[in-house]
Amino acid sequence: MVTLKQLAKELNVSVSTVSKALNNSEEIGKDTIKRVKELAELYNYKPNKVALSLKQSQTKTIGVIIPNILNHFMAKVLFGIEREAGLHGYNIITCISNESLNKEKESFQLLANGSVDGFILSVSKETQMENEVAHFKKALGQGFPIVMFDRVAHDVLCDKVIVDDFDSTYNATKYLIQEGRKNISFVTTIDGLSVGKLREQGYNKAILEEKQQKPLVLKIAKQEDLQEKIKEFLENNKTVDGVISADNASGVIAINTAASMGLNVPKDISVIGFSSNYISSHSIPKLTIIRQHAKEMGASAAQLLINRLQNRNIASDETTTKIIKTSFVKKGSTL
């Protein structure tokens, strides 16, 4: 592989001149820049990234840790992170925690050895259930900035990107009340997560304000059959005429289950869920959704981290929490 020194020798210029020319320095004339780049292209010269990172104390790489790559929302956030990072000249290394605290810790240990400049992550379910944050604080103490998105650890002083989980669920519940629904239920498979708790709180507030019913919440564990639990719930609560789903699957399943029981959606029962346009199309009628704008969330997380990496004078206690507004997308499952 050709080196800067070899290019400099052939062009009869200094190594410094070659380096500056390749970086379009204003100190170097246009003709020299042209000659250097043409020769570099001829020899397929590639800069040594390891050497550059050692010299600059930067890897220009971001570590991203997500809990589940099969989750459509997480995959879209990852797309937003990667695209925004690329625009600023950064690469990403992605690790999957698979909702495991130990896997999450291992990912930090793997990447904090000089492979990355900072971290973007969504906290694993087990980490939130155990309320374990020592590995986050350790990384921050070692000088690695962290940006958390969606699922966050509130006890960790770092930048965060979240959606308006409480307000969006509160407003969705109000929408069903305005439709004339008298017995609205809340279905969740994520009650142990920070986002799940906020969504349930938003639902509870809207219900308690109206005083027309008591909160009616169905919590479904990971190992339980989602369809069977929703069917059993609807059979035992025949007056339910509205459903708010906290996750990206149970809303679609609620529509399909209601239809299989002979209920007309939305005449007999309305359903709203946190989801994407893609997932909402898997039911007839299509699910009315609370859309989270995953790509925007990813881009915002990358922007926050890169801004901190490029402005090292920002104090560690000067943190930012950016709230991404959701959108209410009305489709066929509501009136």
Side-chain angles (χ1 to χ4, degrees):
M1 181 184 294
V2 70
T3 65
L4 281 179
K5 188 174 181 180
Q6 290 169 316
L7 291 176
K9 183 178 180 180
E10 187 160 338
L11 291 165
N12 197 28
V13 295
S14 68
V15 172
S16 175
T17 297
V18 173
S19 177
K20 290 178 180 178
L22 289 172
N23 288 284
N24 298 309
S25 171
E26 293 180 355
E27 299 176 34
I28 309 300
K30 291 181 180 179
D31 289 342
T32 302
I33 291 175
K34 185 171 182 288
R35 287 173 56 221
V36 170
K37 288 190 173 182
E38 284 176 350
L39 188 63
E41 185 176 355
L42 177 65
Y43 287 128
N44 195 28
Y45 168 76
K46 302 292 182 185
N48 186 324
K49 290 190 174 182
V50 174
L52 282 173
S53 67
L54 289 172
K55 183 178 179 180
Q56 300 170 356
S57 298
Q58 285 187 335
T59 66
K60 297 289 283 187
T61 303
I62 295 168
V64 181
I65 305 172
I66 59 176
N68 184 357
I69 192 62
L70 298 179
N71 182 296
H72 188 67
F73 169 74
M74 291 292 173
K76 290 179 73 174
V77 174
L78 182 60
F79 178 88
I81 293 170
E82 196 280 332
R83 183 171 60 181
E84 187 67 24
L87 291 175
H88 296 274
Y90 283 80
N91 297 307
I92 68 169
I93 297 176
T94 306
C95 293
I96 316 299
S97 70
N98 286 326
E99 304 289 12
S100 163
L101 170 59
N102 284 335
K103 285 280 290 181
E104 192 174 80
K105 287 181 176 179
E106 288 172 5
S107 296
F108 266 87
Q109 291 174 354
L110 174 69
L111 298 176
N113 64 355
S115 299
V116 301
D117 298 329
F119 292 92
I120 298 174
L121 69 110
S122 183
V123 179
S124 75
K125 184 173 184 177
E126 189 176 6
T127 301
Q128 289 206 320
M129 297 289 285
E130 297 289 334
N131 193 29
E132 173 62 69
V133 297
H135 53 304
F136 302 139
K137 292 183 177 180
K138 180 180 178 181
L140 288 167
Q142 292 173 333
F144 291 99
I146 294 175
V147 176
M148 295 182 178
F149 71 88
D150 190 48
R151 308 179 193 174
V152 302
H154 295 291
D155 294 337
V156 178
L157 196 62
C158 67
D159 296 324
K160 301 177 177 76
V161 184
I162 58 175
V163 299
D164 55 338
D165 290 292
F166 179 93
D167 289 340
S168 56
T169 314
Y170 172 84
N171 292 331
T173 309
K174 286 288 191 180
Y175 181 90
L176 292 187
I177 292 170
Q178 290 166 7
E179 270 193 359
R181 304 299 173 178
K182 301 297 183 184
N183 199 11
I184 302 165
S185 63
F186 181 80
V187 179
T188 179
T189 62
I190 55 172
D191 60 290
L193 301 178
S194 56
V195 292
K197 292 174 182 177
L198 286 168
R199 292 170 192 178
E200 185 178 346
Q201 289 168 10
Y203 159 81
N204 286 336
K205 184 173 188 291
I207 293 298
L208 293 172
E209 281 181 355
E210 293 299 318
K211 299 179 181 178
Q212 67 178 20
Q213 67 161 99
K214 292 182 179 179
L216 183 59
V217 178
L218 170 62
K219 297 181 179 181
I220 304 173
K222 181 180 179 181
Q223 66 273 15
E224 293 180 314
D225 187 303
L226 196 55
Q227 186 169 343
E228 284 300 316
K229 293 297 292 186
I230 291 175
K231 184 178 181 181
E232 180 185 340
F233 177 76
L234 292 177
E235 287 175 341
N236 293 335
N237 297 274
K238 295 187 182 297
T239 59
V240 168
D241 56 4
V243 173
I244 302 287
S245 164
D247 54 81
N248 64 5
S250 56
V252 168
I253 292 175
I255 292 174
N256 294 337
T257 302
S260 73
M261 294 170 62
L263 296 171
N264 180 285
V265 180
K267 181 179 178 182
D268 299 323
I269 185 170
S270 285
V271 183
I272 299 172
F274 274 83
S275 190
S276 66
N277 285 318
Y278 171 76
I279 293 173
S280 73
S281 64
H282 287 75
S283 64
I284 301 176
K286 292 182 179 180
L287 175 68
T288 292
I289 61 173
I290 300 168
R291 189 177 172 204
Q292 297 171 267
H293 302 289
K295 293 177 186 177
E296 182 183 346
M297 174 173 278
S300 295
Q303 288 166 5
L304 281 174
L305 184 64
I306 291 168
N307 179 57
R308 191 167 285 274
L309 290 172
Q310 294 179 346
N311 297 277
R312 290 289 186 172
N313 57 330
I314 301 175
S316 59
D317 59 350
E318 293 179 16
T319 60
T320 298
T321 296
K322 183 169 183 178
I323 300 175
I324 306 293
K325 286 290 182 181
T326 54
S327 299
F328 186 77
V329 183
K330 187 183 180 306
K331 297 191 178 182
S333 68
T334 52
L335 295 173

